[in-house]
Amino acid sequence: MATTRILEWLGRCYIVLLLGFLYLPIIIMALMSFNASPFYQLPLEWTTDWYASLWQNDQLIAATWNSIEIAVITTVIATVLGSAASLALYRCDFPGKKVLQALLFPPIAIPWLITGTAMLIFFFGIGIGRGLVAILLGHVALALPYVLVVVSARLQTFAPELEEAARSLGANQWQVTNRVTLPWIMPGVIAGGLFAFAVSFDQFVVSYFLSTPGQTTLPVEIYAAIRKGFTPEINAVSTIIIVVSMALMLLTARFFKFGGEK
Amino acid sequence: MADQHAIGSRRGLKPALPLLLPAYLWLTVAIFLPLSAMVFFSFMTDLPLAGREWAFTLDNYAAFFSQSLYLTLLLASLRLGLEVTLWCVVIGYPAAYVLAKVLKGRSREAIFLLVILPFWSNGLVRIFSWAMVLREGGILDTALNAVLPFKINIDLMYSYPAVIIGLVHSYVPYMVLTCYLTLQAIDDSLIEAGRSLGASRRQVLWRVIIPLSMPGLIAGAALIFVPVVGSFMEPRILGGRTGTFYGTVIEDQFVAVFNWPLGAALSFILLAVVLVILAVASPMLKRAA
């Protein structure tokens, strides 16, 4: 049918437009980070000076290291605790299990502004105060539900008979987990870990309320710089961040299908 | 979630406890206790820190109801959330439809990934990237003036539309994702059956496709509306002076004015609003999951 063809063609064009809307600002920002004019004047004169001057900016570099450290530690803790909890939720039945599963949604669904300010008040009240420890505590809590959801999704594809079989062949609980269950859910665990890294590395709101001068993360430092005024240096560091986080998500997509099967 | 197939091979909480406890203890310390503490603090005159005087009070809530500013800003934030959600439906739903029903195979997979990829990159940086586009003498300005025969000045930066554009850009992938999941699950033969029984394309769309994908629409709307109502960084960067919303006022209480109890009360009121919205949407959310 001719009309069907035309409609499908229009649909494809629409998707291209949407992709343009989604990627245009990012591409422009990336281009401007290579523009010699600090006032973003066109035509573009190629330079890598702004990237070079990033290396001189000790504050940004310190914040970057903090971000990476916190993201790595968050990944390790959230992946281990989250995988363990999802195994327990999968294997065991007990009253209140549904409640425990429902409790995973508040950290995802409540705006970070509320969670962040609540953490600030509580951590101040119990004496932890602000700083990297507080940020780490917060990041792990935000990442945990993602790990649990992703690993649980992978466990759905696991046949419990495999555990039964291993057990009846004489394997003890540790061997069953280690040799049968873990290897099967590994793609889910890796995807969960990558999610945790991304949640922490990109987190701004919660870090913002929990940071102090000197103990901040990269996004908080960038926010402060943006509010002082635009500089091409921010473009450069933003471009690096966006490339890193997109690369991370592409890697995650190899282990976890976002659109379900098929 | 895990409950459909879980053949609880073992009964009881005991074997599960050592595996569950660390994760839930962490969530308690870093999420649930802080939220309870916030409620508690919102009824205080000052923070009970080293030697400061404090007492229980309802003043912080009285401030919300007696000064029309807070209510006005909350309404402004709710309106912002509504507008952004509507734009996301208008822009995202057709895209989800094309992805689910027109594109096939590898190109569908690749484009789907491309659409949701920005969503998982840094939100702050993406909002900032719009500043390059929207400012006077920015790309949009230069490009339009190069094409159009007459001179126009595009300076959307620091305006309400700029905030809307930035937020829609941030959240539209959510709508595409949730609608795609429900649209993909609609059996093509239902659509064909409708057509062969004489329904027009429009009738099929309104009577078959949209009702069946409603859970995805509702889920997407809730997932967009809630964070937008609590947004503060986006209005600050793109809205400038016009970017004062409920979220920015809460931010101010914590980082500029240092009236934490008032900030806690304002946060808790926002939380209550959010919970009501989620409660209304949750039956739909469950069906979509």
Side-chain angles (χ1 to χ4, degrees):
Chain A
M1 272 199 303
T3 19
T4 312
R5 270 242 199 97
I6 292 169
L7 283 175
E8 286 186 357
W9 184 79
L10 279 175
R12 287 202 175 90
C13 291
Y14 180 72
I15 292 280
V16 173
L17 274 178
L18 179 75
L19 287 177
F21 171 67
L22 288 176
Y23 284 91
L24 205 66
I26 299 170
I27 291 167
I28 285 166
M29 182 180 69
L31 283 176
M32 287 300 161
S33 70
F34 291 107
N35 192 357
S37 156
F39 305 108
Y40 312 118
Q41 263 156 10
L42 295 170
L44 196 93
E45 272 177 70
W46 188 266
T47 180
T48 51
D49 285 357
W50 306 115
Y51 288 88
S53 68
L54 278 184
W55 289 108
Q56 313 297 322
N57 192 331
D58 294 335
Q59 234 176 318
L60 269 184
I61 290 179
T64 308
W65 277 118
N66 285 344
S67 275
I68 293 174
E69 262 174 60
I70 287 181
V72 168
I73 303 173
T74 299
T75 306
V76 173
I77 298 176
T79 310
V80 172
L81 299 191
S83 304
S86 48
L87 257 182
L89 286 175
Y90 172 76
R91 275 187 190 155
C92 306
D93 257 332
F94 48 87
K97 182 167 141 178
K98 285 233 151 110
V99 178
L100 283 189
Q101 285 171 338
L103 278 179
L104 293 175
F105 288 97
I108 296 180
I110 294 175
W112 285 329
L113 171 69
I114 298 174
T115 337
T117 51
M119 285 178 189
L120 172 59
I121 291 173
F122 181 68
F123 293 159
F124 235 91
I126 61 169
I128 296 175
R130 280 182 276 199
L132 294 179
V133 176
I135 294 176
L136 182 68
L137 273 170
H139 282 197
V140 172
L142 293 180
L144 263 175
Y146 288 96
V147 176
L148 261 145
V149 168
V150 171
V151 176
S152 295
R154 177 72 190 175
L155 273 167
Q156 293 293 296
T157 64
F158 180 70
E161 296 83 16
L162 286 176
E163 281 195 351
E164 294 295 327
R167 218 168 276 136
S168 67
L169 289 170
N172 61 31
Q173 187 56 41
W174 177 247
Q175 286 170 319
V176 168
T177 305
N178 225 7
R179 303 254 184 98
V180 180
T181 321
L182 270 187
W184 181 267
I185 63 169
M186 213 18 117
V189 173
I190 293 172
L194 287 165
F195 262 106
F197 189 93
V199 166
S200 167
F201 191 71
D202 289 335
Q203 177 55 240
F204 159 68
V205 178
V206 167
S207 314
Y208 173 62
F209 287 108
L210 296 179
S211 66
T212 54
Q215 298 205 8
T216 72
T217 61
L218 191 53
V220 179
E221 203 62 45
I222 291 176
Y223 184 62
I226 291 174
R227 294 194 68 183
K228 267 183 237 152
F230 308 126
T231 73
E233 260 179 59
I234 313 178
N235 286 350
V237 71
S238 300
T239 305
I240 296 175
I241 292 189
I242 222 134
V243 168
V244 169
S245 50
M246 283 194 176
L248 257 174
M249 270 353 261
L250 278 177
L251 199 62
T252 313
R254 285 193 48 139
F255 294 97
F256 183 75
K257 279 210 189 293
F258 292 96
E261 291 309 312
K262 204 164 61 165
Chain B
M1 295 262 320
D3 50 323
Q4 287 136 358
H5 289 271
I7 315 231
S9 52
R10 285 178 299 158
R11 304 237 138 220
L13 190 59
K14 229 181 184 180
L17 217 48
L19 291 175
L20 280 174
L21 214 54
Y24 279 90
L25 215 59
W26 201 298
L27 285 177
T28 308
V29 169
I31 303 270
F32 301 118
L33 283 179
L35 286 176
S36 333
M38 192 182 71
V39 178
F40 189 64
F41 275 91
S42 69
F43 291 102
M44 289 183 165
T45 49
D46 201 351
L47 291 180
L49 290 175
R52 284 201 224 169
E53 297 276 318
W54 63 273
F56 285 108
T57 176
L58 284 171
D59 285 357
N60 301 311
Y61 290 93
F64 176 86
F65 290 103
S66 64
Q67 294 181 30
S68 60
L69 171 75
Y70 298 122
L71 191 62
T72 312
L73 286 175
L74 181 57
L75 289 177
S77 284
L78 289 171
R79 188 185 137 202
L80 181 72
L82 214 62
E83 277 184 39
V84 170
T85 308
L86 269 176
W87 280 111
C88 287
V89 172
V90 170
I91 296 173
Y93 190 83
Y97 182 81
V98 175
L99 270 172
K101 294 294 175 207
V102 178
L103 298 175
K104 303 253 153 26
R106 285 198 71 91
S107 68
R108 171 206 277 189
E109 237 171 80
I111 288 174
F112 181 72
L113 196 61
L114 272 178
V115 170
I116 59 164
L117 191 59
F119 186 71
W120 284 104
S121 67
N122 195 292
L124 170 71
V125 166
R126 272 183 300 136
I127 287 293
F128 172 65
S129 72
W130 276 102
M132 300 293 102
V133 181
L134 297 176
R135 63 205 292 277
E136 195 189 353
I139 299 298
L140 197 62
D141 201 19
T142 316
L144 280 179
N145 277 316
V147 178
L148 295 174
F150 48 90
K151 176 92 182 120
I152 48 162
N153 254 336
I154 303 278
D155 184 10
L156 282 174
M157 196 57 194
Y158 305 129
S159 69
Y160 187 70
V163 179
I164 298 266
I165 293 173
L167 284 167
V168 169
H169 180 255
S170 292
Y171 289 104
V172 78
Y174 242 150
M175 187 59 79
V176 177
L177 176 66
T178 56
C179 290
Y180 170 78
L181 291 177
T182 47
L183 281 167
Q184 192 203 29
I186 298 175
D187 198 336
D188 282 342
S189 57
L190 280 176
I191 297 168
E192 278 155 31
R195 292 283 289 157
S196 67
L197 288 170
S200 68
R201 274 175 213 283
R202 186 179 298 208
Q203 281 172 320
V204 170
L205 179 69
W206 284 102
R207 301 262 184 92
V208 180
I209 297 170
I210 289 181
L212 283 174
S213 56
M214 204 40 104
L217 270 169
I218 303 269
L223 291 174
I224 291 166
F225 186 77
V226 167
V228 170
V229 173
S231 64
F232 70 95
M233 165 271 279
E234 297 89 343
R236 276 255 199 265
I237 295 177
L238 294 176
R241 271 159 192 264
T242 61
T244 306
F245 287 96
Y246 195 70
T248 58
V249 171
I250 296 180
E251 181 205 1
D252 278 339
Q253 302 309 318
F254 285 96
V255 301
V257 191
F258 296 107
N259 188 348
W260 287 15
L262 177 60
L266 294 176
S267 265
F268 181 65
I269 291 168
L270 178 62
L271 180 62
V273 171
V274 163
L275 288 180
V276 167
I277 293 162
L278 285 179
V280 170
S282 77
M284 291 289 200
L285 281 171
K286 256 182 214 138
R287 237 188 296 161

